[in-house]
Amino acid sequence: MFGKRYTIVITGYLLALFLIFPQSAYAMHIMEGFLPISWAGFWMALILPFLFFGIRSIQSSLQSNPSLKMLLGLAGAFAFVLSALKIPSVTGSCSHPTGVGLGAILFGPTAMTVLGSIVLIFQAVLLAHGGLTTLGANTFSMAVIGPFVSYGIYKALQKLGAPLWLCVFLAAALGDLATYVTTAFQLALAFPAQNGGFLASFAKFMGVFAVTQIPLAISEGLLTVVVFNVLAAYNKHELQELSVLSGEVRA
Amino acid sequence: MSAATKNLALKNSILVLVVVILTVLPLVIQSGAEFGGADGQAKQVITETNPNYQPWFQSVWEPPSGEIESLLFALQAALGSGFVGYYLGYVRGRKKQQEQDD
């Protein structure tokens, strides 16, 4: 189904990936107990204001329009599904998408700090995935940086007049990728290499955490567009009310 | 089905198909790989850079087996997709009702 040239380009791209990153890589959240206690505390303290503003932002959205409760549920449920799906990647290992881009576009980034941290607590307590001591760091990457990147890209592209699907796709995909770049950054800060320090360590963790994520980020972007298409078709009114879509709000 | 609904279904089917291809492709081109999700390998990278590091906290509870773990992951996905499906069906029905009322 691909043209010959595309096949060659794709094969070359994948080969290059394998040559650069031959080790099998495993990309997930930071494991329980695997951040030194000072860093664990630092990230935990850093997310508290975002949680505070997130709760306030959710309260004010729901107060002005109680019917948005269901849509907020959708944003949470979408993150819940996507972060449960461990998907194989070209590096020969698995990782999972985050699903927070959709909610960030709909309700703003801090609202997703709250919903994302709930997902992370569920996984840390019931699935031994991620951890309570690394909750702050994982919340910062998945539920602060990810949503802020998604939200910023969505708003910027919308202003530039990009088509809706492209705004949604890039917002969700790059937010997903940014989450795992942040994870690599956090681990490199906590574990600088003895030779080469932070940068050498960052490059290594980037290979593990970010490269695996590239095809998954594309998948997350596409799935977010799928849900968004349905919302735009059947739920225009609420999207306009949240000023996700431009256009006049009908009374 | 109206033309708009048909168009939406077609567009979304194509997008989902691309996701499926993106998911299956790694299994084909990397057919020898382990596809592990075990965090043990990520730990290896840390122990390579910092051989003296000792994790200072253990998970409060771990699923007793791979089966129980996949049960819980499936439960998480089922709860989430259950609500997503319910909501999308709800807004679709609501829109239809509104159109009939108009």
Side-chain angles (χ1 to χ4, degrees):
Chain A
M1 60 181 283
F2 294 118
K4 205 172 175 185
R5 244 176 61 197
Y6 282 107
T7 320
I8 294 171
V9 169
I10 291 173
T11 321
Y13 167 70
L14 295 172
L15 266 177
L17 274 187
F18 302 150
L19 288 177
I20 302 167
F21 308 101
Q23 79 274 41
S24 53
Y26 294 79
M28 295 272 168
H29 302 303
I30 303 175
M31 300 75 60
E32 185 76 282
F34 264 85
L35 272 187
I37 194 160
S38 53
W39 280 112
F42 171 77
W43 296 114
M44 199 71 89
L46 197 61
I47 60 159
L48 289 179
F50 292 98
L51 273 180
F52 174 77
F53 286 112
I55 292 169
R56 286 255 304 252
S57 127
I58 289 176
Q59 275 172 342
S60 77
S61 303
L62 293 186
Q63 237 158 32
S64 59
N65 188 350
S67 70
L68 290 178
K69 220 177 265 175
M70 289 275 286
L71 190 60
L72 185 71
L74 174 81
F78 189 70
F80 215 55
V81 190
L82 285 204
S83 56
L85 300 177
K86 294 180 183 172
I87 298 172
S89 177
V90 285
T91 47
S93 67
C94 290
S95 181
H96 61 79
T98 65
V100 294
L102 178 71
I105 293 169
L106 295 174
F107 288 94
T110 54
M112 285 323 281
T113 308
V114 180
L115 296 181
S117 64
I118 294 172
V119 175
L120 285 167
I121 291 171
F122 177 91
Q123 293 196 325
V125 172
L126 288 179
L127 293 161
H129 183 62
L132 293 175
T133 58
T134 51
L135 187 66
N138 289 333
T139 300
F140 187 76
S141 61
M142 176 179 132
V144 175
I145 294 292
F148 269 93
V149 167
S150 292
Y151 183 79
I153 286 175
Y154 182 79
K155 289 292 175 194
L157 286 178
Q158 205 186 25
K159 225 170 223 161
L160 291 173
L164 185 64
W165 66 268
L166 190 66
C167 299
V168 173
F169 172 75
L170 286 178
L174 294 177
D176 178 313
L177 211 56
T179 293
Y180 286 87
V181 172
T182 308
T183 305
F185 180 77
Q186 289 168 324
L187 281 171
L189 271 181
F191 300 103
Q194 269 132 11
N195 299 324
F198 168 79
L199 279 178
S201 185
F202 182 60
K204 197 162 196 176
F205 283 116
M206 275 291 279
V208 172
F209 283 91
V211 177
T212 305
Q213 202 64 24
I214 290 172
L216 274 70
I218 296 171
S219 290
E220 167 157 6
L222 295 173
L223 288 173
T224 308
V225 173
V226 166
V227 172
F228 214 87
N229 280 343
V230 180
L231 290 180
Y234 299 119
N235 219 358
K236 220 169 202 158
H237 182 57
E238 275 161 353
L239 294 189
Q240 284 167 345
E241 215 159 286
L242 287 165
S243 45
V244 171
L245 293 181
S246 46
E248 270 180 47
V249 176
R250 288 171 299 150
Chain B
M1 266 204 292
S2 71
T5 319
K6 240 183 195 163
N7 193 9
L8 174 69
L10 179 70
K11 258 197 294 193
N12 275 356
S13 310
I14 293 172
L15 291 176
V16 170
L17 189 71
V18 176
V19 172
V20 171
I21 292 171
L22 271 175
T23 309
V24 175
L25 203 66
L27 295 175
V28 179
I29 50 179
Q30 279 277 59
S31 54
E34 280 178 51
F35 288 106
D39 300 336
Q41 286 289 319
K43 288 171 192 165
Q44 259 184 20
V45 181
I46 294 176
T47 32
E48 269 169 37
T49 36
N50 280 53
N52 299 324
Y53 185 75
Q54 289 293 326
W56 54 281
F57 196 83
Q58 297 296 316
S59 297
V60 271
W61 183 77
E62 271 183 49
S65 72
E67 279 71 20
I68 306 296
E69 191 186 354
S70 66
L71 167 71
L72 288 166
F73 268 110
L75 184 70
Q76 187 187 337
L79 287 174
S81 55
F83 188 86
V84 171
Y86 171 81
Y87 182 81
L88 296 183
Y90 165 78
V91 290
R92 180 159 190 253
R94 190 179 61 181
K95 175 90 187 272
K96 270 197 172 155
Q97 191 67 42
Q98 279 168 353
E99 277 166 359
Q100 273 171 16
D101 291 347
D102 285 343

